[in-house]
Amino acid sequence: MKQDMIVILDLGSTENTVLARQIRDLGVYSEIHPHDITVEELHALDNVKGIILNGGENRIVDGVVVEVSDDIYTCGYPVISIDHPTAKCDVKYDTLPSDEVVKDFLFNVCKAEANWNMKNFVEDQVELVRKQVGDRKVLLALSGGVDSSVVAALLVKAIGDQLVCVHVNHGLMRKDESENVVEVFQNQLHANLIYVDATERFLTKLEGVADPEEKRKIIGGEFIRVFEEEARKLEGIDFLGQGTIYPDIIESGTKTAKCVKSHHNVGGLPEDLQFDLVEPLAQLFKDEVRACGIELGLPAEMVYRQPFPGPGLGVRCLGAITRDRLEALREADAILRDEFAKAGLDKTVWQYFVAIPDFKAVGVRNHERSMGYMAVIRAVNTIDAMTATIERIDYDLLEKIVDRITAEVPSINRVVYEITKKPVATIEFE
Ligand code: XMP
């Protein structure tokens, strides 16, 4: 391992991630592990320099106070404790210590080096993945989202041709998105990529389906089926690569913290797929994943891509999806993104997109009455997607976007700007 590590043992604090961030921001790599880790598991982590026992409000689980095993104190690493009156170590704090105190522990007590950076992280993960995988093969569903793209780039670096990527185009991607995945991974990084154009299959299944939950179920279910079909065609695959990142693990619940929502990567795998998992980003926060992508040479547009729901344009082509409305949506959305990029808003606005309801409105085009779709523009800012505020788009820019959409997408004759916060609205419409 290139980097020294401080291990945080989770004894029910709600601030494990805050502490891990604090330590990483001081230049030392830090990982959070469950309280019942064994000494052998600790030694196997390699380069551990010290341990912090992090207790807190979830410390009592099913009536039992969570403790670490006694030999953790005597296994040779410096140990301090936070919110842990019964800890058998000399140094104890009631609340998260200040930077000065943490620095003293890291550099004076543990003699850790401030060598946490993405270059070292990538080198460490490359080494670990090679050790885990050996000469066997890894399969990865490459959606083109930030996490799966970064994991793909890292695995290509680690094991080259032993990685098989499958990109399923469900026909609900944004304009040029699947093409970009092929360009970057097949043509530039020379990854072993299987591209499956399943557009017809998805759109046929979705025909006439207007209920949002039903649409989501069809898209999610079909996605897994297409992926499984591809997986079963391949031989000798032992591992499944996953773009699981640290917040996914936290939200799916730890031994002390409750489940917020079971995350697709963590909880939603079909049980009969017999693979071991390769998850090299599992310890990274989102901004660190992006930095890792840049370190691996991925294009900035891919790494700083705005969030995009798994069901894609399917939940923005409202009601029952029709092909002509889906195409109009794809074009209008591309225009909005282009204008936002030209105005520099792609770097500051969290999420912005077009949705199209399933009705037509009256308009006049070429001196004739005509029926056309209505494009809805939405642009929001948020920190955690639980609440969201509206981006106040400049009026001149709005007019330009309206002019372009109505001129370049003939089936759209109205554009509206939706300005409802979350709550009471959600970010997406379905
Ligand atoms: P809502 O609409 O619930 O969306 O306010 C919150 C955030 O989550 C995104 N979103 C999804 N992301 N799969 C995803 O990966 C999904 O099914 C999904 N649905 C919504 C949405 O774009 C917003 O950023």
Side-chain angles (χ1 to χ4, degrees):
M1 292 287 279
K2 300 264 177 223
Q3 8 190 39
D4 293 346
M5 190 200 306
I6 298 295
V7 171
I8 297 168
L9 293 186
D10 169 20
L11 282 101
S13 171
T14 52
E15 294 187 309
N16 290 313
T17 53
V18 179
L19 182 60
R21 288 310 303 238
Q22 188 183 11
I23 295 170
R24 289 187 195 185
D25 287 344
L26 293 170
V28 180
Y29 183 54
S30 171
E31 283 186 2
I32 303 156
H33 286 271
H35 63 88
D36 55 0
I37 192 169
T38 64
V39 170
E40 291 70 37
E41 286 165 335
L42 262 180
H43 286 319
L45 287 176
D46 213 3
N47 259 11
V48 173
K49 294 289 169 179
I51 298 172
I52 301 180
L53 309 178
N54 201 22
E57 62 189 65
N58 297 324
R59 181 117 186 252
I60 299 178
V61 177
D62 299 330
V64 178
V65 181
V66 163
E67 300 282 2
V68 294
S69 83
D70 276 353
D71 50 5
I72 295 288
Y73 296 102
T74 52
C75 68
Y77 305 114
V79 182
I80 57 170
S81 151
I82 298 168
D83 184 38
H84 192 176
T86 57
K88 299 179 182 84
C89 53
D90 298 333
V91 187
K92 303 169 194 173
Y93 300 96
D94 292 339
T95 53
L96 282 193
S98 67
D99 271 0
E100 288 317 305
V101 170
V102 175
K103 263 194 214 164
D104 181 61
F105 179 65
L106 301 182
F107 303 118
N108 297 333
V109 180
C110 301
K111 308 268 186 270
E113 251 185 75
N115 54 9
W116 157 244
N117 59 48
M118 271 307 145
K119 191 167 173 292
N120 286 343
F121 176 82
V122 167
E123 283 180 29
D124 279 350
Q125 290 303 322
V126 163
E127 195 183 303
L128 287 169
V129 168
R130 285 183 183 154
K131 210 161 46 178
Q132 183 188 6
V133 172
D135 59 2
R136 290 175 293 168
K137 284 188 189 163
V138 180
L139 179 66
L140 175 77
L142 175 58
S143 67
V146 180
D147 305 339
S148 72
S149 298
V150 175
V151 106
L154 198 145
L155 293 180
V156 168
K157 188 180 167 88
I159 54 170
D161 259 7
Q162 289 162 252
L163 172 72
V164 184
C165 301
V166 176
H167 176 69
V168 177
N169 178 359
H170 50 22
L172 306 166
M173 304 289 281
R174 288 173 294 190
K175 192 174 183 182
D176 296 334
E177 213 159 21
S178 281
E179 290 78 359
N180 283 337
V181 169
V182 173
E183 169 57 28
V184 170
F185 287 96
Q186 200 162 54
N187 302 346
Q188 294 176 20
L189 297 180
H190 307 293
N192 191 351
L193 172 69
I194 298 172
Y195 171 70
V196 188
D197 184 354
T199 303
E200 278 311 309
R201 186 168 163 168
F202 277 83
L203 295 189
T204 305
K205 278 250 156 171
L206 286 164
E207 245 161 52
V209 182
D211 178 64
E213 278 308 301
E214 187 66 15
K215 286 167 72 178
R216 279 173 177 274
K217 267 195 211 129
I218 290 174
I219 298 167
E222 203 58 14
F223 190 89
I224 291 181
R225 266 189 294 281
V226 173
F227 184 72
E228 274 186 307
E229 282 171 26
E230 292 305 317
R232 295 196 204 284
K233 282 186 210 159
L234 300 165
E235 284 188 0
I237 303 275
D238 291 303
F239 296 94
L240 195 64
Q242 291 236 71
T244 312
I245 70 171
Y246 198 67
D248 303 341
I249 292 178
I250 292 287
E251 288 189 344
S252 295
T254 63
K255 284 181 181 161
T256 58
K258 296 221 165 49
C259 174
V260 179
K261 60 177 176 189
S262 80
H263 197 274
H264 186 70
N265 279 345
V266 181
L269 281 179
E271 283 180 5
D272 64 335
L273 276 186
Q274 301 293 333
F275 296 118
D276 287 330
L277 298 180
V278 180
E279 301 180 300
L281 310 181
Q283 288 291 335
L284 295 189
F285 296 98
K286 194 76 181 187
D287 57 318
E288 295 172 335
V289 173
R290 295 190 208 277
C292 184
I294 295 291
E295 174 67 33
L296 287 160
L298 287 178
E301 310 86 74
M302 193 168 250
V303 166
Y304 289 98
R305 179 182 185 270
Q306 56 166 319
F308 187 57
L313 299 182
V315 291
R316 297 177 182 169
C317 191
L318 309 182
I321 298 169
T322 58
R323 289 166 202 243
D324 70 323
R325 192 154 48 90
L326 180 62
E327 279 323 304
L329 169 60
R330 206 185 318 268
E331 290 303 319
D333 185 71
I335 293 167
L336 177 77
R337 287 195 289 142
D338 185 44
E339 288 301 329
F340 262 50
K342 282 184 190 152
L345 292 174
D346 57 334
K347 298 192 179 58
T348 58
V349 181
W350 200 78
Q351 197 171 12
Y352 46 97
F353 58 88
V354 171
I356 303 190
D358 58 347
F359 61 84
K360 285 186 172 176
V362 174
V364 53
R365 199 181 274 281
N366 302 326
H367 311 291
E368 275 181 30
R369 173 191 153 99
S370 67
M371 300 295 285
Y373 293 123
M374 179 190 278
V376 181
I377 294 174
R378 190 144 169 76
V380 299
N381 291 306
T382 175
I383 292 175
D384 56 8
M386 303 298 284
T387 62
T389 56
I390 301 303
E391 169 72 15
R392 293 186 177 208
I393 307 174
D394 172 75
Y395 206 90
D396 291 338
L397 176 60
L398 270 176
E399 274 192 344
K400 195 166 167 197
I401 293 167
V402 174
D403 288 347
R404 272 196 66 190
I405 290 178
T406 50
E408 294 172 36
V409 191
S411 61
I412 294 177
N413 66 4
R414 282 172 198 264
V415 181
V416 302
Y417 175 25
E418 208 270 307
I419 56 165
T420 318
K421 292 190 287 265
K422 175 179 181 175
V424 56
T426 54
I427 294 175
E428 302 287 346
F429 289 74
E430 293 195 330

